Amino acid sequence: MYRTHTCGELRIRDVGNKVKLAGWVQRIRDLGAMTFIDLRDRYGITQLVVDEKSTKEIFEQIEKLGREYVIQATGIVQERSNKNRNIVTGEVEVFLNDLNVLSPSILPPFTIQDDTDGGDEIRMKYRYLDLRREAVRKNLELRAKMAHATRVYLNGQNFIETETPVLIKSTPEGARDFVVPSRMNQGEFYALPQSPQTFKQLLMIAGFDRYYQIVKCFRDEDLRADRQPEFTQIDCEMSFVEQKDVLKTFEGLTRFLFKEVMDLDIDEFPLMPYSEAIENYGSDKPDTRFEMLIQDLSETVKGNNFIVFDSAEYIGAICAKGCSDYSRKQLDELTNWVKRPQIGAKGLVYVKYNHDGSFKSSVDKFYSQEDLKKWAEVLDAQPGDLMLLLSGNKKHMQTALGELRFEMGTRLELRNKNIFNPLWVVDFPLLEWNEESQRYHAMHHPFTSPKQEDMQLLEIDPGNVRANAYDLVINGVEIGGGSVRIFNKELQSTMFDKLGFTREEAENQFGFLMSAFQYGAPPHAGIAFGFDRLVSLFAGLNSIRDVIAFPKNNAGRDVMIDSPSTIADEQLDELNLKIKLKDQ
Amino acid sequence: MYRTHTCGELRIRDVGNKVKLAGWVQRIRDLGAMTFIDLRDRYGITQLVVDEKSTKEIFEQIEKLGREYVIQATGIVQERSNKNRNIVTGEVEVFLNDLNVLSPSILPPFTIQDDTDGGDEIRMKYRYLDLRREAVRKNLELRAKMAHATRVYLNGQNFIETETPVLIKSTPEGARDFVVPSRMNQGEFYALPQSPQTFKQLLMIAGFDRYYQIVKCFRDEDLRADRQPEFTQIDCEMSFVEQKDVLKTFEGLTRFLFKEVMDLDIDEFPLMPYSEAIENYGSDKPDTRFEMLIQDLSETVKGNNFIVFDSAEYIGAICAKGCSDYSRKQLDELTNWVKRPQIGAKGLVYVKYNHDGSFKSSVDKFYSQEDLKKWAEVLDAQPGDLMLLLSGNKKHMQTALGELRFEMGTRLELRNKNIFNPLWVVDFPLLEWNEESQRYHAMHHPFTSPKQEDMQLLEIDPGNVRANAYDLVINGVEIGGGSVRIFNKELQSTMFDKLGFTREEAENQFGFLMSAFQYGAPPHAGIAFGFDRLVSLFAGLNSIRDVIAFPKNNAGRDVMIDSPSTIADEQLDELNLKIKLKDQ
């Protein structure tokens, strides 16, 4: 037997007992006559001690130990004279009788501590050492706990967890697929699923009634900070339900998770139409932890011969509370921030509402104190506040103001990680026009049902058709999204038309689904949660990478195992494939 | 609201209530003045009724219904005059007031009943209809239940469910990998995991202590009846354990599943050394539900001038109870059965132990009644039994006798699906010689630890080194397998040597693992259960296909979605790949 107890188990009740522990050497403190060793495992840290009563041999053995050695320690539990109240085992220590090195360690490339000295790259290369740090392991433990709580809730609601295939079929709609060459069917490929969308709909047609799966999905995208080529979804679908049933069920799941995992009681989630989110927050992912709503000043500011505003489609503003003392330098920096290509504003107009009630703005040439006071009224600004205005194309400037609002919220520390503000954004547009391809794309996906009352617009004004689609947004992060689905072959066929599919393409890619619709398809709706994001939100982290055991870097590489990598020529031959030379 | 109740919910207590149901039309019985409709959903069947009190309109609506129509039915619950005790809703029916067709159905290609008229191929093409059949859906419900029970048990034992990556690195050892071309790293490939083996070992090195995952794995093999290119494992690993700890934990899991899911109490699992399994059962997957042990007759039968036996390395036999009346035709058929290439025996010697105590054999020319009586004694045969002998190469004939034993067990109906006989097969050889490649292959995998006491054989007689490897076998099916792992860089390096890896190949493919061993690797061991097989065993099914929602056929095709399929030239271009012409 390797151990009688874990390193997190011993208490004062165990004093006098002979125990055997196994774990990693966290720290050795040599005080001359006494030496202390902190022995660590997943469950905790226990102090081992040798002193003047110990044998010479054991001192010699300890001499040879180093950090991260794996040892087995046998001894007697004794009460500590100097108790450590910070750890659960801190009242006791083990007086070492015997020591056995199970596995030595060379010097780790960084320290195994919460505040490590290792940079990102080295920690990724030695991810197995990074995972030893409690701060990192805790995230993975949280993830496991959340997955289990999700299953407990959904099983309790009669959902059947059903595995759908990973080797499926490539469809060009949506993001880029990862493909898998088939050896048995030469020249043909499987694709890895971007989501189990069509399969879960087929399960509804199969009468499964309620399906879920915590499932890996794949997208071959150019990676941004918070994207991974493989990611995990809580994927769900329900039959004989309307939108409100889905929202109720998954609001229930979310609140259950907050309660189970964080012991937090969260209020009912408000509903916000997409149009309102864009208007007030400049985003379909509003962070409602703070106000600072966007106001439309277009009517208020025009007609003063300021050509920039007079010629603009839209002038909008936010009010940053208590920022009237911003320096010239700060304002210049903010101006440069909005002019970056990611934001793309032409410039920034500011108005300081000074503590003495006067105004100082970058457009004083055009606007009187009286004019600026009117702006302040619209924005509900008070002395001490700073008003920030952007002008230009409406859609673009709403988004830019949304980003600016976010940024100011961050700078003013209004985005408190310990507050959670979930809401449902609803009534999304069904379609969005894509300039590049000169056609409509599905805003959610091609299986989303238009709203009944907007159906007559589908032929005459498709851009204004709203969908029965909904997103769960928490603290400015899209945690989940879903929709009521089309369950009728003709409507599905019309949708594919609108999205520019030829009949043949639609049949070739989704014929099996449209065929299935003919055999009695129930009304159904569903949702998928981005599980990685949900966990990182709960963990108070900014990146999903920290809640994934073995993540890939921004080039899609696993630097630890050095993958992807070249494969043997025989493998390529078997697959009937050739790698093209660069100039072919 | 689509429904107030499911079709499995109404009872006598609901009589008089107005309800709304939704589901599929299972059956319509038109009795003239009355018509009955069986309405089906996942939860059950409820009878709807119209009679002389019903309106003409509703009769007209019913006229238009057909099988598998999805309807919404509103009405009043009433007690049935003719109760159906076979279904839980059989005491009541719903008197139909209103009917709404949600989705019509064209005629399904086969009947949606437990005993369907659809062949395998058509049911796979319309798998979403096949899944409507209760017999099929029940298997998937059982699967979900077993997955959840597994998680409950393992979470309770402090295992952390941890997701490992799906896009990993190709390694030629073992079966063939599926590969995934990388667009961002041109000319390079990911591979899909055959198992998360190296990652779970890294998690042990990371100090996770106890890991599990119910996870999809992938093998690009030529498919046999019971293989799928993607399959599911319960994958586990533990630190600071010996073999017996692993067996105890997973015997615990298995017994927990039997109890939770089947309400069966299973005795402790016996341990059987590999050598004994081969000797007595001719298989490392012995079906111990019946005896019929293989006996070595080599000593007994030699020396009677029967050249076939005298020249054979090994003569073994089984005794088929009560089969002495087998006809000439039956014996010929059995002889042909063992001569098939899959079995490969040269011939079959039989001895009938007649009811009158006399013997009749195919070798009466060489052996006296006295001789044959001796054989009967070795085989513990009684009058009425049939002895069957095979001779030749020992290893080959043991396997052949194992197959014959299996076959006779089936014919004699000794393989009762309601009896479950689990056992651990232990002490597997570490290596097996491969004639084709003229080198040793790892019997389990290259990470398996040799037995301490056999370590000195590693250099001088590698074929006789036993491993700390174990299989869980139930009813002749390998349900799980695992081993104690190597956790030392030098030993791992030696193993790769023995398996014919060059230092460079070993470093290139498994360098990250051997590097990890240097930083304090704990002793660890693990196991993986074939989850599909486990579920099909519990379900009493012969094929894993029946417990997979959307399986592939023997050519690796999903005939429903028609995958794999060709992909667009642009996709190939982006991946820098070319499909070779046949004659290139």
Side-chain angles (χ1 to χ4, degrees), chain B residues 456-508:
Chain B
Q456 83 287 356
L457 296 175
L458 204 51
E459 293 303 327
I460 52 175
D461 185 9
N464 270 322
V465 176
R466 289 167 307 158
N468 283 317
Y470 32 83
D471 275 359
L472 173 62
V473 175
I474 307 179
N475 295 0
V477 179
E478 182 196 328
I479 293 297
S483 64
V484 177
R485 322 298 186 190
I486 295 167
F487 63 104
N488 167 291
K489 190 182 174 181
E490 286 66 42
L491 181 55
Q492 188 64 68
S493 192
T494 305
M495 269 302 288
F496 285 131
D497 278 357
K498 293 276 161 268
L499 296 170
F501 282 71
T502 66
R503 285 280 151 139
E504 197 195 349
E505 283 166 348
E507 179 56 35
N508 191 25

Side-chain angles (χ1 to χ4, degrees), chain A residues 42-43 132 148 155 158 163 166 188-190 205 209 230 232 519 556-557 565 573-574 578 580, chain B residues 42-43 132 143 155 158 163 166 188-190 205 209 230 232 519 556-557 565 573 578 580:
Chain A
R42 172 184 138 203
Y43 309 95
R132 279 189 194 167
H148 194 64
N155 290 346
N158 264 325
E163 292 171 64
V166 176
E188 298 190 329
F189 293 77
Y190 302 100
I205 294 168
D209 206 71
E230 50 180 301
T232 304
Y519 294 99
R557 292 200 74 81
S565 59
D573 281 347
E574 277 198 317
K578 258 178 87 168
K580 280 198 285 190
Chain B
R42 172 186 137 200
Y43 309 93
R132 281 188 193 167
R143 183 183 182 108
N155 290 345
N158 264 326
E163 294 171 62
V166 176
E188 298 191 328
F189 292 77
Y190 302 100
I205 295 168
D209 205 73
E230 51 180 300
T232 304
Y519 295 99
R557 293 200 73 81
S565 59
D573 281 346
K578 258 177 85 169
K580 280 198 285 192

Side-chain angles (χ1 to χ4, degrees), chain B residues 308-322:
Chain B
V308 174
F309 281 178
D310 286 356
S311 65
E313 181 193 2
Y314 169 88
I315 304 101
I318 57 170
C319 169
K321 291 273 160 207

Side-chain angles (χ1 to χ4, degrees), chain B residues 37-91:
Chain B
I37 301 172
D38 282 349
L39 192 67
R40 184 196 74 230
D41 67 13
R42 172 186 137 200
Y43 309 93
I45 283 179
T46 300
Q47 177 167 292
L48 312 176
V49 61
V50 289
D51 62 19
E52 63 281 356
K53 298 189 297 296
S54 303
T55 60
K56 196 171 147 231
E57 287 72 33
I58 210 148
F59 269 102
E60 281 169 5
Q61 280 183 288
I62 286 177
E63 275 294 298
K64 293 181 198 137
L65 296 182
R67 273 174 185 251
E68 299 307 314
Y69 269 54
V70 179
I71 63 169
Q72 207 176 9
T74 311
I76 307 292
V77 183
Q78 60 189 25
E79 187 170 357
R80 276 210 219 180
S81 54
N82 196 356
K83 296 197 171 54
N84 181 346
R85 303 289 175 195
N86 296 323
I87 57 173
V88 288
T89 60
E91 292 196 288

